[in-house]
């Protein structure tokens, strides 16, 4: 498991170093995750014996523990959250609606470009080009 942890931490450290050196506007761990993905694709080890897979499975089996810091943060800042409840709710609902509208718009664009499925003639009353 030490080897798997070294892979994960090494990729995170490399991602953070790349962000610091280049000034890319991304979090270092995100760049590290991309580096880990590239490394895993290039390595192409199959099976459960890969140390990175073993560590990943272990962390996933204890995923609920990663929510403890977020819960503590909410408890610690409950007064601030209470004072700013309206803007938080508006931001959450607004971002949800914006995301939903964007997904619907992109889906409608893709559906216009995709040829109809074999055997279907489209919706009733709709002309086929």
């Amino acid at each position: 498991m030490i080897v798997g942890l070294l892979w994960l931490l090494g990729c995170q450290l490399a991602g953070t170093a790349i962000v610091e050196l280049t000034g890319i506007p991304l979090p270092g761990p995100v760049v590290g995750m991309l580096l880990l993905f590239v490394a895993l694709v290039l390595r192409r080890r199959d099976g459960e014996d890969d140390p990175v897979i073993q560590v990943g499975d272990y962390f996933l089996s204890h995923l609920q523990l990663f929510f403890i810091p977020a819960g503590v943060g909410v408890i610690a800042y409950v007064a601030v959250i209470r004072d700013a409840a309206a803007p938080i709710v508006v931001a959450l609902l607004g971002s949800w609606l914006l995301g939903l509208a964007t997904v619907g718009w992109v889906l409608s664009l893709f559906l216009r470009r995709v040829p109809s499925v074999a055997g279907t003639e489209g919706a009733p009353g709709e002309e086929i080009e």
Side-chain angles (χ1 to χ4, degrees):
M1 288 198 54
I2 298 296
V3 173
L5 281 172
L6 287 175
W7 269 95
L8 295 177
L9 292 175
C11 286
Q12 182 177 356
L13 179 64
T16 303
I18 289 171
V19 167
E20 290 294 322
L21 292 173
T22 62
I24 298 173
L26 288 173
V30 172
V31 175
M33 195 171 10
L34 291 173
L35 291 173
L36 179 64
F37 174 73
V38 169
L40 290 175
V41 168
L42 292 177
R43 280 181 31 181
R44 285 283 191 199
R45 283 194 185 168
D46 295 327
E48 301 284 324
D49 295 334
D50 190 357
V52 178
I53 292 175
Q54 289 177 349
V55 170
D57 285 344
Y58 178 78
F59 282 150
L60 285 175
S61 68
H62 294 83
L63 189 62
Q64 68 274 13
L65 296 176
F66 293 109
F67 291 102
I68 292 173
V72 170
V74 168
I75 299 287
Y77 290 100
V78 73
V80 174
I81 293 171
R82 184 183 57 240
D83 293 342
I88 291 172
V89 169
V90 168
L92 286 172
L93 289 176
S95 63
W96 177 74
L97 286 172
L98 183 63
L100 185 64
T102 302
V103 167
W105 177 69
V106 169
L107 180 64
S108 69
L109 287 177
F110 281 133
L111 288 178
R112 279 191 222 144
R113 295 179 188 261
V114 173
S116 64
V117 177
T120 61
E121 296 298 323
E126 186 177 298
E127 291 186 30
I128 307 273
E129 297 179 19

